[in-house]
Amino acid sequence: MNQHITIGELSKLMNVSVHQIRYFEEKEILFPAYTDSNQYRMYGINEIYQLAQILLLRKLNIPVGTINKSMNSFSTNDYHQLMKQSLSKISSEINQLMLLQQFFQKILKEHEHSDILEDKYHIKQLDTRHLKKWMELQQDESLTARSLYEKKPQLSHLFETDLHYLYDSEHITLCYESNHSPDIILEKGSYLYKSFFVTDDQDIEREIAQLEHYLTEHHYIIQGQLILLEKSYLSMFNNDKLHYEIQIKIKHDSDGVA
């Protein structure tokens, strides 16, 4: 009984394509034990273990072109360092995937609990927020692509975070959340808020005017700046609209409790 196997059987045994085995042969890192009279490539136990090592080296990101050298010249310490480097890379990729998972969970949770279609004001308790200033705009000044580019903050995935527009009598300060040396701290407390869609600046002006009327009508005392929260990452659910939330810290005039 022949103790060797064909290339097709080797392919099935090692769960790798025949094409890839032939490619390894072209690169001179794996050869059959012999070729039989019918020109079939035949592989023995040594070739099986050699292929196993090649596949492992590929998982460690060793280029095919240098596998021959590594198999013939790498020391035990070289392989140890290679394993450590590969493990470090895998750990980094896992961390990135976990962050991506958390981001997707955040998007789904916020969308599922969104009250944007209610067109109503609500009150919620918010924790302290630490903000980093990005840029200041005049009240009548619009955000442009040029200003975004020229004043780009050191923040990766810029539009995957909540952007805060803080209004005062003259300026609008654009901020993003950051616990590293914050410029502005928004105090925890009761915030009146409403979610809404924006297609142009007039939508924002209309919402601000409506909020001011609502505050007066319901006798709320304002305890902080007007805040517009841009959740651009939620806009994928409504392609032609931006998702905003208008907020202001308040207490009620009659009893001091929001």
Side-chain angles (χ1 to χ4, degrees):
M1 179 179 178
N2 195 338
Q3 295 182 348
H4 292 75
I5 58 177
T6 65
I7 191 171
E9 292 169 330
L10 179 64
S11 168
K12 293 176 181 177
L13 174 65
M14 302 301 289
N15 195 28
V16 62
S17 70
V18 170
H19 173 77
Q20 193 166 9
I21 296 173
R22 289 182 180 274
Y23 176 70
F24 292 153
E25 184 175 339
E26 289 175 9
K27 293 299 181 179
E28 300 182 346
I29 57 176
L30 178 70
F31 295 102
Y34 68 93
T35 303
D36 70 8
S37 58
N38 294 318
Q39 299 302 308
Y40 286 115
R41 292 174 171 81
M42 305 301 293
Y43 300 84
I45 191 69
N46 290 337
E47 288 72 40
I48 290 173
Y49 278 100
Q50 187 175 2
L51 178 56
Q53 186 172 359
I54 291 169
L55 296 175
L56 177 58
L57 289 170
R58 290 298 296 127
K59 285 187 176 181
L60 295 173
N61 294 315
I62 295 293
V64 171
T66 60
I67 283 181
N68 194 317
K69 177 182 176 181
S70 66
M71 292 175 70
N72 289 296
S73 65
F74 268 26
S75 66
T76 301
N77 185 61
D78 290 331
Y79 280 115
H80 184 80
Q81 293 302 317
L82 186 62
M83 288 282 186
K84 289 179 66 176
Q85 292 170 9
S86 183
L87 180 60
S88 177
K89 181 181 179 181
I90 290 170
S91 297
S92 177
E93 291 173 351
I94 289 173
N95 289 335
Q96 290 299 317
L97 286 172
M98 290 180 66
L99 290 173
L100 187 61
Q101 180 190 47
Q102 292 170 8
F103 177 59
F104 286 156
Q105 288 173 339
K106 172 187 175 182
I107 291 178
L108 288 172
K109 182 178 179 180
E110 290 201 26
H111 182 253
E112 289 166 0
H113 293 85
S114 174
D115 49 21
I116 198 166
L117 298 178
E118 293 183 15
D119 195 31
K120 293 180 181 179
Y121 291 100
H122 303 273
I123 294 175
K124 62 181 173 181
Q125 299 296 316
L126 294 177
D127 291 331
T128 303
R129 286 172 282 178
H130 299 84
L131 306 180
K132 197 81 173 174
K133 285 185 181 179
W134 180 356
M135 67 179 80
E136 281 193 350
L137 304 170
Q138 300 297 322
Q139 285 281 5
D140 58 351
E141 183 181 359
S142 297
L143 196 62
T144 66
R146 174 58 56 184
S147 59
L148 283 175
Y149 174 76
E150 292 181 346
K151 300 179 181 180
K152 181 182 182 301
Q154 297 299 314
L155 182 68
S156 59
H157 311 298
L158 184 60
F159 291 98
E160 293 180 9
T161 186
D162 292 340
L163 300 179
H164 293 67
Y165 295 81
L166 308 183
Y167 284 67
D168 60 31
S169 58
E170 297 181 358
H171 301 97
I172 302 171
T173 305
L174 176 56
C175 308
Y176 55 91
E177 292 192 57
S178 174
N179 290 320
H180 180 67
S181 302
D183 301 310
I184 298 172
I185 296 178
L186 298 179
E187 296 180 353
K188 68 178 181 179
S190 299
Y191 283 79
L192 183 72
Y193 78 96
K194 187 176 86 167
S195 299
F196 63 100
F197 289 124
V198 169
T199 55
D200 55 47
D201 290 344
Q202 291 182 348
D203 293 331
I204 294 176
E205 294 171 3
R206 182 165 50 251
E207 289 296 336
I208 291 175
Q210 289 179 3
L211 176 64
E212 290 172 346
H213 176 74
Y214 188 89
L215 289 167
T216 302
E217 183 181 20
H218 290 78
H219 307 292
Y220 286 116
I221 296 176
I222 299 173
Q223 293 190 306
Q225 294 174 269
L226 174 68
I227 304 165
L228 277 181
L229 204 63
E230 179 184 310
K231 299 175 179 285
S232 58
Y233 50 86
L234 289 179
S235 298
M236 68 177 69
F237 297 102
N238 301 88
N239 291 327
D240 58 341
K241 301 174 184 178
L242 283 173
H243 190 122
Y244 272 72
E245 185 174 298
I246 192 167
Q247 301 178 347
I248 195 161
K249 190 170 184 286
I250 50 88
K251 71 175 182 178
H252 202 280
D253 191 17
S254 61
D255 57 11
V257 178

